[in-house]
Structure formats: C-alpha cells, structure tokens
Amino acid sequence: MRNSATHNGKDLAKEIALLKAQLEDLADSVNGTGSSIVARGEEALEETLRSARELIAKYGDTAKSIARDANSLKDKAADFKDRAADTLIEHTESRPLTTLAAVLGFGFLAGWLCRRN
C-alpha cells in the first residue's frame, strides 16, 4: 500500500511537470498568436491607409473641382435672381397700370379656379 502511494506521488510529480511544460508552451503559443494578430491588424491598417491615400490622390482634385463649380453656379444663380428682381422692379415702376392689370388678372384667374361649386 505504501509502495503504491510513493509510486502515485512520483507519477503525480511527473504529471505536474508535464502540465507545467504544456502550460508554458501554451503561453508561448498564445503570445505568438497575439503578436501575429497584432501584426496582421497593422498590415490591414497600413493597406487601408494606403488605399485611402490613393483615393484621395485620385479623386481629391475632382472633389475640389466640383466644389468650385458648385460655388460658381451658386454665384451665377444669385446674380440671376438679383437681375430678375431688378428687371421686375424696373417694369413695375415704368408701367404701373400694366402691372396692376396683370396682378388683377392673376387674382381673378386664381379665384375662378379655386371657386366653390
């Protein structure tokens, strides 16, 4: 009985040593895997940044050109609106009776179209 207890103690010590070695191997493997994951993440990030830089280089000038064109169109539209308002004011001041007749005509037409039956 005693002999088997000693034998089991030696086996237990061997098992513990084997488990420690396996645990150290597992820790090294996990550290290696973590480093590998970080390296792959850094590679993916660099690739994404490179692609973004290429897109900016390729289409950045186009976007700036579109923005300039949009500002130019906005300025032209504002000028057109101002000219139209000035023309309307000039015609109203030069022909007040014609303007009054046109407004009365539009009012009559709107009233006739919206009348209740």
Side-chain angles (χ1 to χ4, degrees), residues 20-62:
K20 281 183 181 179
Q22 289 176 349
L23 187 59
E24 287 174 3
D25 290 343
L26 180 63
D28 291 341
S29 175
V30 167
N31 287 337
T33 302
S35 299
S36 173
I37 290 171
V38 169
R40 282 188 280 163
E42 287 175 350
E43 289 173 9
L45 182 61
E46 288 298 323
E47 177 68 23
T48 303
L49 287 173
R50 186 183 59 75
S51 296
R53 287 184 186 119
E54 288 175 2
L55 285 173
I56 290 170
K58 187 174 182 180
Y59 296 111
D61 293 337
T62 304

mmCIF file of all heavy atoms in Angstrom, residues 20-62:
data_model
loop_
_atom_site.group_PDB
_atom_site.id
_atom_site.type_symbol
_atom_site.label_atom_id
_atom_site.label_comp_id
_atom_site.label_asym_id
_atom_site.label_seq_id
_atom_site.Cartn_x
_atom_site.Cartn_y
_atom_site.Cartn_z
ATOM 1 N N LYS A 20 3.115 21.683 -16.420
ATOM 2 C CA LYS A 20 3.813 22.973 -16.419
ATOM 3 C C LYS A 20 4.448 23.231 -17.779
ATOM 4 O O LYS A 20 4.367 24.343 -18.312
ATOM 5 C CB LYS A 20 4.891 22.989 -15.333
ATOM 6 C CG LYS A 20 4.369 23.224 -13.950
ATOM 7 C CD LYS A 20 5.536 23.298 -12.966
ATOM 8 C CE LYS A 20 5.052 23.501 -11.557
ATOM 9 N NZ LYS A 20 6.175 23.548 -10.604
ATOM 10 N N ALA A 21 5.069 22.213 -18.347
ATOM 11 C CA ALA A 21 5.708 22.377 -19.656
ATOM 12 C C ALA A 21 4.660 22.686 -20.729
ATOM 13 O O ALA A 21 4.858 23.567 -21.582
ATOM 14 C CB ALA A 21 6.493 21.110 -20.015
ATOM 15 N N GLN A 22 3.546 21.960 -20.663
ATOM 16 C CA GLN A 22 2.478 22.213 -21.633
ATOM 17 C C GLN A 22 1.888 23.620 -21.464
ATOM 18 O O GLN A 22 1.576 24.296 -22.452
ATOM 19 C CB GLN A 22 1.379 21.167 -21.490
ATOM 20 C CG GLN A 22 1.785 19.792 -21.976
ATOM 21 C CD GLN A 22 0.702 18.743 -21.724
ATOM 22 O OE1 GLN A 22 -0.257 18.995 -21.007
ATOM 23 N NE2 GLN A 22 0.883 17.570 -22.326
ATOM 24 N N LEU A 23 1.761 24.060 -20.213
ATOM 25 C CA LEU A 23 1.239 25.385 -19.937
ATOM 26 C C LEU A 23 2.196 26.469 -20.469
ATOM 27 O O LEU A 23 1.757 27.467 -21.039
ATOM 28 C CB LEU A 23 1.006 25.561 -18.436
ATOM 29 C CG LEU A 23 0.315 26.842 -17.986
ATOM 30 C CD1 LEU A 23 -1.058 26.953 -18.634
ATOM 31 C CD2 LEU A 23 0.188 26.891 -16.486
ATOM 32 N N GLU A 24 3.503 26.257 -20.301
ATOM 33 C CA GLU A 24 4.482 27.201 -20.831
ATOM 34 C C GLU A 24 4.425 27.234 -22.362
ATOM 35 O O GLU A 24 4.492 28.312 -22.965
ATOM 36 C CB GLU A 24 5.881 26.838 -20.351
ATOM 37 C CG GLU A 24 6.106 27.151 -18.883
ATOM 38 C CD GLU A 24 7.464 26.653 -18.390
ATOM 39 O OE1 GLU A 24 8.245 26.109 -19.203
ATOM 40 O OE2 GLU A 24 7.737 26.824 -17.191
ATOM 41 N N ASP A 25 4.299 26.047 -22.978
ATOM 42 C CA ASP A 25 4.172 26.002 -24.439
ATOM 43 C C ASP A 25 2.913 26.731 -24.900
ATOM 44 O O ASP A 25 2.926 27.471 -25.896
ATOM 45 C CB ASP A 25 4.126 24.549 -24.932
ATOM 46 C CG ASP A 25 5.457 23.833 -24.790
ATOM 47 O OD1 ASP A 25 6.479 24.540 -24.622
ATOM 48 O OD2 ASP A 25 5.484 22.588 -24.864
ATOM 49 N N LEU A 26 1.823 26.531 -24.163
ATOM 50 C CA LEU A 26 0.572 27.200 -24.496
ATOM 51 C C LEU A 26 0.702 28.718 -24.339
ATOM 52 O O LEU A 26 0.234 29.475 -25.179
ATOM 53 C CB LEU A 26 -0.565 26.678 -23.608
ATOM 54 C CG LEU A 26 -1.941 27.277 -23.847
ATOM 55 C CD1 LEU A 26 -2.414 26.944 -25.258
ATOM 56 C CD2 LEU A 26 -2.933 26.765 -22.828
ATOM 57 N N ALA A 27 1.361 29.172 -23.290
ATOM 58 C CA ALA A 27 1.562 30.601 -23.076
ATOM 59 C C ALA A 27 2.399 31.197 -24.210
ATOM 60 O O ALA A 27 2.082 32.271 -24.732
ATOM 61 C CB ALA A 27 2.229 30.847 -21.724
ATOM 62 N N ASP A 28 3.459 30.487 -24.600
ATOM 63 C CA ASP A 28 4.285 30.960 -25.722
ATOM 64 C C ASP A 28 3.466 31.007 -27.009
ATOM 65 O O ASP A 28 3.570 31.948 -27.793
ATOM 66 C CB ASP A 28 5.502 30.052 -25.913
ATOM 67 C CG ASP A 28 6.502 30.177 -24.780
ATOM 68 O OD1 ASP A 28 6.439 31.192 -24.053
ATOM 69 O OD2 ASP A 28 7.341 29.271 -24.623
ATOM 70 N N SER A 29 2.643 29.991 -27.212
ATOM 71 C CA SER A 29 1.807 29.942 -28.413
ATOM 72 C C SER A 29 0.800 31.082 -28.430
ATOM 73 O O SER A 29 0.592 31.735 -29.465
ATOM 74 C CB SER A 29 1.090 28.601 -28.485
ATOM 75 O OG SER A 29 0.197 28.575 -29.567
ATOM 76 N N VAL A 30 0.183 31.343 -27.269
ATOM 77 C CA VAL A 30 -0.792 32.428 -27.183
ATOM 78 C C VAL A 30 -0.101 33.775 -27.417
ATOM 79 O O VAL A 30 -0.614 34.632 -28.135
ATOM 80 C CB VAL A 30 -1.519 32.401 -25.821
ATOM 81 C CG1 VAL A 30 -2.299 33.680 -25.596
ATOM 82 C CG2 VAL A 30 -2.447 31.206 -25.754
ATOM 83 N N ASN A 31 1.068 33.963 -26.831
ATOM 84 C CA ASN A 31 1.812 35.204 -27.055
ATOM 85 C C ASN A 31 2.187 35.349 -28.527
ATOM 86 O O ASN A 31 2.090 36.428 -29.096
ATOM 87 C CB ASN A 31 3.061 35.255 -26.184
ATOM 88 C CG ASN A 31 2.736 35.517 -24.728
ATOM 89 O OD1 ASN A 31 1.684 36.056 -24.421
ATOM 90 N ND2 ASN A 31 3.632 35.131 -23.842
ATOM 91 N N GLY A 32 2.583 34.266 -29.146
ATOM 92 C CA GLY A 32 2.918 34.295 -30.571
ATOM 93 C C GLY A 32 1.695 34.586 -31.416
ATOM 94 O O GLY A 32 1.752 35.366 -32.363
ATOM 95 N N THR A 33 0.563 33.991 -31.042
ATOM 96 C CA THR A 33 -0.669 34.221 -31.776
ATOM 97 C C THR A 33 -1.116 35.670 -31.610
ATOM 98 O O THR A 33 -1.541 36.319 -32.569
ATOM 99 C CB THR A 33 -1.780 33.271 -31.278
ATOM 100 O OG1 THR A 33 -1.335 31.930 -31.431
ATOM 101 C CG2 THR A 33 -3.061 33.468 -32.040
ATOM 102 N N GLY A 34 -1.012 36.194 -30.404
ATOM 103 C CA GLY A 34 -1.365 37.591 -30.161
ATOM 104 C C GLY A 34 -0.493 38.521 -30.978
ATOM 105 O O GLY A 34 -0.977 39.482 -31.587
ATOM 106 N N SER A 35 0.792 38.242 -31.013
ATOM 107 C CA SER A 35 1.699 39.065 -31.820
ATOM 108 C C SER A 35 1.367 38.943 -33.288
ATOM 109 O O SER A 35 1.412 39.924 -34.035
ATOM 110 C CB SER A 35 3.148 38.637 -31.582
ATOM 111 O OG SER A 35 3.493 38.813 -30.234
ATOM 112 N N SER A 36 1.004 37.735 -33.707
ATOM 113 C CA SER A 36 0.630 37.510 -35.108
ATOM 114 C C SER A 36 -0.638 38.283 -35.455
ATOM 115 O O SER A 36 -0.732 38.889 -36.523
ATOM 116 C CB SER A 36 0.422 36.013 -35.360
ATOM 117 O OG SER A 36 -0.082 35.799 -36.639
ATOM 118 N N ILE A 37 -1.604 38.274 -34.560
ATOM 119 C CA ILE A 37 -2.854 39.004 -34.789
ATOM 120 C C ILE A 37 -2.574 40.504 -34.861
ATOM 121 O O ILE A 37 -3.091 41.199 -35.735
ATOM 122 C CB ILE A 37 -3.887 38.680 -33.686
ATOM 123 C CG1 ILE A 37 -4.382 37.244 -33.841
ATOM 124 C CG2 ILE A 37 -5.050 39.653 -33.729
ATOM 125 C CD1 ILE A 37 -5.229 36.755 -32.695
ATOM 126 N N VAL A 38 -1.747 41.005 -33.974
ATOM 127 C CA VAL A 38 -1.394 42.427 -33.992
ATOM 128 C C VAL A 38 -0.681 42.773 -35.295
ATOM 129 O O VAL A 38 -0.972 43.795 -35.922
ATOM 130 C CB VAL A 38 -0.521 42.787 -32.763
ATOM 131 C CG1 VAL A 38 0.069 44.168 -32.900
ATOM 132 C CG2 VAL A 38 -1.350 42.680 -31.485
ATOM 133 N N ALA A 39 0.229 41.908 -35.723
ATOM 134 C CA ALA A 39 0.957 42.169 -36.970
ATOM 135 C C ALA A 39 -0.002 42.185 -38.158
ATOM 136 O O ALA A 39 0.089 43.059 -39.028
ATOM 137 C CB ALA A 39 2.039 41.111 -37.176
ATOM 138 N N ARG A 40 -0.937 41.223 -38.198
ATOM 139 C CA ARG A 40 -1.908 41.204 -39.296
ATOM 140 C C ARG A 40 -2.815 42.426 -39.242
ATOM 141 O O ARG A 40 -3.168 43.002 -40.271
ATOM 142 C CB ARG A 40 -2.741 39.924 -39.245
ATOM 143 C CG ARG A 40 -1.984 38.722 -39.787
ATOM 144 C CD ARG A 40 -2.879 37.529 -39.905
ATOM 145 N NE ARG A 40 -2.989 36.966 -38.555
ATOM 146 C CZ ARG A 40 -3.909 36.117 -38.174
ATOM 147 N NH1 ARG A 40 -4.836 35.718 -39.014
ATOM 148 N NH2 ARG A 40 -3.944 35.651 -36.954
ATOM 149 N N GLY A 41 -3.189 42.857 -38.033
ATOM 150 C CA GLY A 41 -4.001 44.066 -37.891
ATOM 151 C C GLY A 41 -3.253 45.292 -38.385
ATOM 152 O O GLY A 41 -3.822 46.150 -39.060
ATOM 153 N N GLU A 42 -1.969 45.379 -38.054
ATOM 154 C CA GLU A 42 -1.166 46.511 -38.516
ATOM 155 C C GLU A 42 -1.037 46.499 -40.035
ATOM 156 O O GLU A 42 -1.113 47.541 -40.677
ATOM 157 C CB GLU A 42 0.215 46.471 -37.866
ATOM 158 C CG GLU A 42 0.197 46.845 -36.397
ATOM 159 C CD GLU A 42 1.549 46.678 -35.728
ATOM 160 O OE1 GLU A 42 2.468 46.095 -36.350
ATOM 161 O OE2 GLU A 42 1.692 47.134 -34.582
ATOM 162 N N GLU A 43 -0.871 45.304 -40.609
ATOM 163 C CA GLU A 43 -0.780 45.187 -42.072
ATOM 164 C C GLU A 43 -2.089 45.640 -42.724
ATOM 165 O O GLU A 43 -2.080 46.367 -43.725
ATOM 166 C CB GLU A 43 -0.463 43.754 -42.480
ATOM 167 C CG GLU A 43 0.950 43.313 -42.159
ATOM 168 C CD GLU A 43 1.150 41.829 -42.422
ATOM 169 O OE1 GLU A 43 0.260 41.171 -43.006
ATOM 170 O OE2 GLU A 43 2.215 41.328 -42.038
ATOM 171 N N ALA A 44 -3.216 45.200 -42.157
ATOM 172 C CA ALA A 44 -4.520 45.584 -42.714
ATOM 173 C C ALA A 44 -4.726 47.093 -42.588
ATOM 174 O O ALA A 44 -5.245 47.739 -43.508
ATOM 175 C CB ALA A 44 -5.642 44.834 -41.998
ATOM 176 N N LEU A 45 -4.310 47.676 -41.477
ATOM 177 C CA LEU A 45 -4.437 49.108 -41.282
ATOM 178 C C LEU A 45 -3.585 49.875 -42.281
ATOM 179 O O LEU A 45 -4.034 50.858 -42.875
ATOM 180 C CB LEU A 45 -4.042 49.475 -39.848
ATOM 181 C CG LEU A 45 -4.155 50.943 -39.462
ATOM 182 C CD1 LEU A 45 -5.592 51.418 -39.599
ATOM 183 C CD2 LEU A 45 -3.661 51.162 -38.054
ATOM 184 N N GLU A 46 -2.359 49.424 -42.477
ATOM 185 C CA GLU A 46 -1.484 50.073 -43.459
ATOM 186 C C GLU A 46 -2.076 49.980 -44.862
ATOM 187 O O GLU A 46 -2.036 50.941 -45.627
ATOM 188 C CB GLU A 46 -0.084 49.449 -43.425
ATOM 189 C CG GLU A 46 0.715 49.808 -42.204
ATOM 190 C CD GLU A 46 0.989 51.292 -42.099
ATOM 191 O OE1 GLU A 46 1.219 51.934 -43.141
ATOM 192 O OE2 GLU A 46 0.949 51.808 -40.972
ATOM 193 N N GLU A 47 -2.639 48.836 -45.201
ATOM 194 C CA GLU A 47 -3.258 48.657 -46.521
ATOM 195 C C GLU A 47 -4.444 49.598 -46.687
ATOM 196 O O GLU A 47 -4.628 50.226 -47.734
ATOM 197 C CB GLU A 47 -3.712 47.200 -46.697
ATOM 198 C CG GLU A 47 -4.431 46.922 -47.988
ATOM 199 C CD GLU A 47 -3.532 47.032 -49.210
ATOM 200 O OE1 GLU A 47 -2.305 46.900 -49.078
ATOM 201 O OE2 GLU A 47 -4.073 47.258 -50.308
ATOM 202 N N THR A 48 -5.246 49.722 -45.643
ATOM 203 C CA THR A 48 -6.407 50.617 -45.690
ATOM 204 C C THR A 48 -5.965 52.073 -45.834
ATOM 205 O O THR A 48 -6.530 52.822 -46.635
ATOM 206 C CB THR A 48 -7.252 50.449 -44.417
ATOM 207 O OG1 THR A 48 -7.648 49.085 -44.299
ATOM 208 C CG2 THR A 48 -8.487 51.318 -44.452
ATOM 209 N N LEU A 49 -4.963 52.462 -45.078
ATOM 210 C CA LEU A 49 -4.454 53.828 -45.178
ATOM 211 C C LEU A 49 -3.883 54.100 -46.562
ATOM 212 O O LEU A 49 -4.095 55.171 -47.133
ATOM 213 C CB LEU A 49 -3.390 54.078 -44.108
ATOM 214 C CG LEU A 49 -3.907 54.215 -42.678
ATOM 215 C CD1 LEU A 49 -2.739 54.286 -41.700
ATOM 216 C CD2 LEU A 49 -4.786 55.421 -42.534
ATOM 217 N N ARG A 50 -3.179 53.126 -47.115
ATOM 218 C CA ARG A 50 -2.613 53.291 -48.448
ATOM 219 C C ARG A 50 -3.725 53.452 -49.478
ATOM 220 O O ARG A 50 -3.683 54.334 -50.343
ATOM 221 C CB ARG A 50 -1.732 52.087 -48.812
ATOM 222 C CG ARG A 50 -0.993 52.255 -50.123
ATOM 223 C CD ARG A 50 -0.179 51.027 -50.487
ATOM 224 N NE ARG A 50 -0.986 49.817 -50.605
ATOM 225 C CZ ARG A 50 -1.796 49.542 -51.633
ATOM 226 N NH1 ARG A 50 -1.936 50.403 -52.613
ATOM 227 N NH2 ARG A 50 -2.479 48.423 -51.669
ATOM 228 N N SER A 51 -4.770 52.645 -49.365
ATOM 229 C CA SER A 51 -5.903 52.751 -50.291
ATOM 230 C C SER A 51 -6.602 54.102 -50.154
ATOM 231 O O SER A 51 -6.980 54.712 -51.153
ATOM 232 C CB SER A 51 -6.911 51.630 -50.029
ATOM 233 O OG SER A 51 -6.338 50.381 -50.288
ATOM 234 N N ALA A 52 -6.764 54.555 -48.923
ATOM 235 C CA ALA A 52 -7.414 55.855 -48.703
ATOM 236 C C ALA A 52 -6.575 56.974 -49.307
ATOM 237 O O ALA A 52 -7.110 57.892 -49.933
ATOM 238 C CB ALA A 52 -7.618 56.088 -47.209
ATOM 239 N N ARG A 53 -5.264 56.899 -49.135
ATOM 240 C CA ARG A 53 -4.386 57.922 -49.724
ATOM 241 C C ARG A 53 -4.476 57.912 -51.241
ATOM 242 O O ARG A 53 -4.482 58.969 -51.875
ATOM 243 C CB ARG A 53 -2.958 57.699 -49.264
ATOM 244 C CG ARG A 53 -2.739 58.070 -47.813
ATOM 245 C CD ARG A 53 -1.286 57.920 -47.402
ATOM 246 N NE ARG A 53 -1.144 58.150 -45.984
ATOM 247 C CZ ARG A 53 -0.687 57.246 -45.115
ATOM 248 N NH1 ARG A 53 -0.316 56.055 -45.536
ATOM 249 N NH2 ARG A 53 -0.597 57.544 -43.842
ATOM 250 N N GLU A 54 -4.537 56.712 -51.823
ATOM 251 C CA GLU A 54 -4.661 56.612 -53.281
ATOM 252 C C GLU A 54 -5.975 57.228 -53.763
ATOM 253 O O GLU A 54 -6.006 57.939 -54.765
ATOM 254 C CB GLU A 54 -4.579 55.151 -53.732
ATOM 255 C CG GLU A 54 -3.194 54.554 -53.635
ATOM 256 C CD GLU A 54 -3.166 53.067 -53.977
ATOM 257 O OE1 GLU A 54 -4.237 52.510 -54.333
ATOM 258 O OE2 GLU A 54 -2.092 52.477 -53.887
ATOM 259 N N LEU A 55 -7.070 56.944 -53.048
ATOM 260 C CA LEU A 55 -8.364 57.519 -53.425
ATOM 261 C C LEU A 55 -8.357 59.038 -53.309
ATOM 262 O O LEU A 55 -8.886 59.734 -54.179
ATOM 263 C CB LEU A 55 -9.482 56.938 -52.549
ATOM 264 C CG LEU A 55 -9.903 55.521 -52.877
ATOM 265 C CD1 LEU A 55 -10.879 55.012 -51.830
ATOM 266 C CD2 LEU A 55 -10.525 55.449 -54.254
ATOM 267 N N ILE A 56 -7.743 59.539 -52.251
ATOM 268 C CA ILE A 56 -7.667 60.990 -52.089
ATOM 269 C C ILE A 56 -6.835 61.600 -53.202
ATOM 270 O O ILE A 56 -7.202 62.626 -53.772
ATOM 271 C CB ILE A 56 -7.103 61.343 -50.695
ATOM 272 C CG1 ILE A 56 -8.133 61.002 -49.615
ATOM 273 C CG2 ILE A 56 -6.714 62.813 -50.612
ATOM 274 C CD1 ILE A 56 -7.598 61.074 -48.206
ATOM 275 N N ALA A 57 -5.731 60.943 -53.516
ATOM 276 C CA ALA A 57 -4.887 61.466 -54.586
ATOM 277 C C ALA A 57 -5.609 61.414 -55.929
ATOM 278 O O ALA A 57 -5.491 62.321 -56.751
ATOM 279 C CB ALA A 57 -3.588 60.663 -54.662
ATOM 280 N N LYS A 58 -6.382 60.354 -56.125
ATOM 281 C CA LYS A 58 -7.064 60.176 -57.414
ATOM 282 C C LYS A 58 -8.273 61.085 -57.557
ATOM 283 O O LYS A 58 -8.491 61.690 -58.603
ATOM 284 C CB LYS A 58 -7.480 58.711 -57.558
ATOM 285 C CG LYS A 58 -8.048 58.362 -58.900
ATOM 286 C CD LYS A 58 -8.302 56.859 -58.989
ATOM 287 C CE LYS A 58 -8.829 56.461 -60.342
ATOM 288 N NZ LYS A 58 -9.079 55.026 -60.427
ATOM 289 N N TYR A 59 -9.086 61.174 -56.503
ATOM 290 C CA TYR A 59 -10.354 61.890 -56.604
ATOM 291 C C TYR A 59 -10.396 63.196 -55.815
ATOM 292 O O TYR A 59 -11.395 63.907 -55.874
ATOM 293 C CB TYR A 59 -11.508 60.995 -56.136
ATOM 294 C CG TYR A 59 -11.684 59.782 -57.008
ATOM 295 C CD1 TYR A 59 -11.388 58.516 -56.523
ATOM 296 C CD2 TYR A 59 -12.125 59.910 -58.309
ATOM 297 C CE1 TYR A 59 -11.545 57.398 -57.330
ATOM 298 C CE2 TYR A 59 -12.277 58.806 -59.114
ATOM 299 C CZ TYR A 59 -11.988 57.550 -58.613
ATOM 300 O OH TYR A 59 -12.135 56.452 -59.408
ATOM 301 N N GLY A 60 -9.363 63.527 -55.095
ATOM 302 C CA GLY A 60 -9.356 64.761 -54.308
ATOM 303 C C GLY A 60 -9.476 65.988 -55.193
ATOM 304 O O GLY A 60 -10.215 66.921 -54.883
ATOM 305 N N ASP A 61 -8.757 65.994 -56.311
ATOM 306 C CA ASP A 61 -8.826 67.131 -57.224
ATOM 307 C C ASP A 61 -10.205 67.240 -57.849
ATOM 308 O O ASP A 61 -10.711 68.346 -58.058
ATOM 309 C CB ASP A 61 -7.765 66.996 -58.319
ATOM 310 C CG ASP A 61 -6.356 67.114 -57.762
ATOM 311 O OD1 ASP A 61 -6.203 67.721 -56.683
ATOM 312 O OD2 ASP A 61 -5.418 66.593 -58.395
ATOM 313 N N THR A 62 -10.827 66.103 -58.135
ATOM 314 C CA THR A 62 -12.168 66.110 -58.715
ATOM 315 C C THR A 62 -13.166 66.718 -57.736
ATOM 316 O O THR A 62 -14.018 67.529 -58.125
ATOM 317 C CB THR A 62 -12.598 64.682 -59.084
ATOM 318 O OG1 THR A 62 -11.625 64.127 -59.971
ATOM 319 C CG2 THR A 62 -13.950 64.661 -59.748
#
